[in-house]
Amino acid sequence: MLLLHGGGRTRGDWDVFAGLLSESGFRPVTMDLRGHGESGEAPWSWKEALADVAAVVDEVGLHRPVIVGHSLGGMVAALWADEHPECPLAVNLDGHGNPTHPGQFFGLDEAAAARACQEMTSFLGEMGQGLSESFLQVMREIDVLDLFSAYRAARCPLLVVSGDGTAFAGMFPEHLASAWEAYCAWLHHALKAAVRESPSVREASLPTGHDPHLEDPEALLRLLVGHLSRHNQAEWSG
């Protein structure tokens, strides 16, 4: 099982979870994504990030590894699912991107959605002040990624796990609270649609915040083992 960390984090995020995997008979491998941890600075692109993952898989000698990514790493895992039908399971752990498009605010009329999008984009831009140019490049790549198209293109089992979105509510000013709620509603609706439209995609939730692997690693392990067991049973039956 290859574990990919989130943006601005390092492979050390997985230390506790990797220990649980080892105790459960898995072989966990962690890596620092480009521009993170002990990996060198490099321009970010999804293509190059996937090539880095493939290089680690080859170098370490992993055979059909499960790919589990958190946040930014979860998006990489979802894109891996598009290119690797042999993968037994790819997991996107709460990597949903940013609410920066008017169509991402469920239940608001066109004018209200446009206003929510403008205000949310402005707030996120203010939060980005002081970040390195390399990390801002990552954020720009996230904003242009059509993640739900990637879900529908998955060629191996893909599990999208969401934490409790309300855990993020406190980071937004009061005037953006309704916009965030509308985004969470859109996300729930869009995930349900992706599951209906693609036989490869499944969704699940955990009662944690953005970091299920840190907040409740035991629950995450049970979730992944359960999905792997169901996949193996279906593959055997097939």
Side-chain angles (χ1 to χ4, degrees):
M1 190 177 290
L2 181 59
L3 307 172
L4 310 176
H5 62 78
R9 314 283 272 268
T10 73
R11 66 183 189 272
D13 267 10
W14 292 105
D15 287 352
V16 172
F17 189 70
L20 294 175
L21 287 174
S22 294
E23 293 170 2
S24 299
F26 291 92
R27 179 191 177 193
V29 175
T30 61
M31 63 176 283
D32 285 327
L33 296 171
R34 58 176 43 216
H36 292 73
E38 294 181 278
S39 291
E41 287 292 331
W44 181 272
S45 75
W46 300 110
K47 180 179 178 181
E48 293 299 330
L50 288 167
D52 294 342
V53 174
V56 170
V57 169
D58 290 342
E59 179 67 23
V60 182
L62 301 180
H63 175 63
R64 299 176 67 230
V66 173
I67 307 292
V68 180
H70 168 241
S71 198
L72 175 65
M75 300 177 205
V76 175
L79 294 173
W80 180 271
D82 295 357
E83 300 181 1
H84 294 272
E86 79 286 353
C87 179
L89 180 65
V91 181
N92 178 358
L93 186 58
D94 213 52
H96 302 308
N98 298 317
T100 54
H101 303 284
Q104 293 177 313
F105 299 91
F106 194 75
L108 301 184
D109 61 36
E110 185 174 347
R115 184 169 58 253
C117 179
Q118 181 180 21
E119 292 176 347
M120 187 68 75
T121 300
S122 176
F123 176 74
L124 292 173
E126 292 174 4
M127 288 186 62
Q129 292 180 3
L131 295 176
S132 67
E133 176 56 32
S134 61
F135 195 79
L136 290 175
Q137 182 185 14
V138 173
M139 299 304 291
R140 288 192 289 268
E141 290 294 315
I142 290 173
D143 287 343
V144 299
L145 176 64
D146 188 345
L147 192 57
F148 284 89
S149 289
Y151 291 165
R152 293 179 177 89
R155 300 171 64 203
C156 77
L158 171 63
L159 175 64
V160 182
V161 182
S162 299
D164 183 357
T166 61
F168 267 130
M171 68 178 283
F172 295 104
E174 186 175 349
H175 73 281
L176 287 178
S178 60
W180 178 251
E181 291 176 2
Y183 168 70
C184 290
W186 170 83
L187 184 61
H188 177 76
H189 177 79
L191 280 173
K192 294 292 185 186
V195 170
R196 288 195 304 270
E197 295 167 16
S198 174
S200 297
V201 181
R202 296 289 181 271
E203 60 135 352
S205 61
L206 289 171
T208 65
H210 183 53
D211 304 314
H213 59 310
L214 298 174
E215 298 171 48
D216 197 345
E218 292 86 357
L220 177 60
L221 178 62
R222 290 192 297 270
L223 179 66
L224 298 189
V225 169
H227 276 267
L228 280 170
S229 297
R230 284 191 288 275
H231 169 69
N232 289 338
Q233 290 170 2
E235 191 174 59
W236 178 260
S237 299

